[in-house]
Each structure stands twice: as structure tokens, then as C-alpha cells.
Amino acid sequence: VADDYPEVWRAFASLGKACAESGPLDARTRRLVKLALAVGGGSEGAVHSHMRRAMEEGIEPEALKQVAMLAIPTLGLPAGVAALTWIEDITDARR
């Protein structure tokens, strides 16, 4: 999308920046929330994307895996386990 529709991508990136700066949450908390939203939305691709960024930002794998564990009572065991496997796709690849 960024290559084929650069104006759309710039607008999307600008929206993301404005949303990130709209409140008091620090960068680590925002990343964990975004990961949780991706988990809740059932988006494997978004989970992978947020996981890669979280790992680059130095967020420990145990905290990232806890996001999946927190999903279990809210979303159900199958959704939480699916999220854990998506998270481990990235954490296990980095070992």
C-alpha cells in the first residue's frame, strides 16, 4: 500500500501518530494495548507485526505472552491459545 498509494499511507501514518499522542500512555503500554487489540480482533498478521515491533522495542517475551494469557478468560481458550501460537511464532524465531 505504501508504494502504490503513498498519500494514503502518509495519511494513515499521520492518524496513527495523532492517536498515539492523544493521551498519557507510554510507548510500552501503547504497544501492549495494540497487541491486545490485534489479538482481540483475531488478526494473525497484526499480531505478528506488533510482536516484531515489541521485540525490537525491547519488551520482554514473558510480558507479550501474558497478553495471550489474559485473552483466555475474555475471548475464550481457543482464541487465547491461537494468540499464544502467533506470539510464539515471533518469540521462538528470535531465540
Side-chain angles (χ1 to χ4, degrees):
V1 173
D3 291 337
D4 293 337
Y5 304 96
E7 288 181 37
V8 172
W9 184 255
R10 282 191 296 276
F12 179 71
S14 179
L15 176 62
K17 184 177 186 303
C19 290
E21 295 172 353
S22 69
L25 298 180
D26 62 27
R28 182 180 193 278
T29 302
R30 287 192 308 265
R31 178 64 60 212
L32 292 171
V33 168
K34 291 181 97 172
L35 175 61
L37 290 167
V39 166
S43 176
E44 182 177 1
V47 168
H48 285 164
S49 176
H50 289 294
M51 281 298 303
R52 284 190 294 274
R53 292 182 192 144
M55 298 288 288
E56 290 167 4
E57 293 164 3
I59 299 176
E60 63 278 12
E62 295 77 18
L64 299 165
K65 290 178 183 182
Q66 187 178 6
V67 171
M69 299 310 295
L70 292 169
I72 291 172
T74 304
L75 303 174
L77 184 64
V81 171
L84 184 59
T85 64
W86 300 338
I87 287 168
E88 288 177 340
D89 286 345
I90 305 302
T91 60
D92 292 358
R94 301 276 172 121
R95 287 185 188 171

